[in-house]
Amino acid sequence: MIHLFKTKIGRLRIIAILEGISLLTLVFIAVPLKYGLDNPAFVKMMGPIHGTLFLLFLFNTLSVGVEQNWKFKEITWKVLLACVIPFGTFYIDHKILSRL
């Protein structure tokens, strides 16, 4: 796991996993708590964390895409789309990022 911190792609993979976990936490735990039990505290806590990870993921994806000369129509758009779909970042990590 330490080796992932040494490259930009490795850091992108770590951010992708963290962003995916934060999205799943928000969608499947925090939002049901907010609307089902009328308890918005977890959304208030997770919202900014997820937002920060989301922006980090976007900026790092674009940075790695430029550095690695990714073609937007082949790789970059898929990686960017993954961060708005639950489980998407895990799929992209497995199918694209782990192979780079």
Side-chain angles (χ1 to χ4, degrees):
M1 178 82 163
I2 292 286
H3 68 281
L4 292 176
F5 288 101
K6 295 180 182 179
T7 65
K8 278 192 173 185
I9 292 176
R11 288 187 292 273
L12 177 61
R13 291 182 66 196
I14 291 169
I15 293 169
I17 298 302
L18 293 174
E19 195 276 335
I21 291 169
S22 73
L23 177 61
L24 293 176
T25 303
L26 202 56
V27 170
F28 293 114
I29 297 173
V31 171
L33 284 175
K34 178 179 180 178
Y35 292 107
L37 300 176
D38 197 30
N39 185 358
F42 204 48
V43 170
K44 288 181 180 178
M45 180 184 71
M46 283 304 300
I49 293 169
H50 171 69
T52 302
L53 289 168
F54 178 80
L55 291 174
L56 279 171
F57 182 77
L58 291 179
F59 293 136
N60 278 289
T61 297
L62 294 173
S63 175
V64 170
V66 168
E67 181 183 274
Q68 298 287 319
N69 295 319
W70 288 351
K71 292 188 179 181
F72 190 83
K73 291 183 178 181
E74 292 177 15
I75 298 176
T76 309
W77 77 272
K78 293 176 187 176
V79 177
L80 289 173
L81 180 65
C83 68
V84 295
I85 300 171
F87 301 101
T89 55
F90 304 111
Y91 177 79
I92 288 298
D93 179 61
H94 177 70
K95 290 291 184 179
I96 295 177
L97 299 177
S98 65
R99 297 177 182 176
L100 297 175

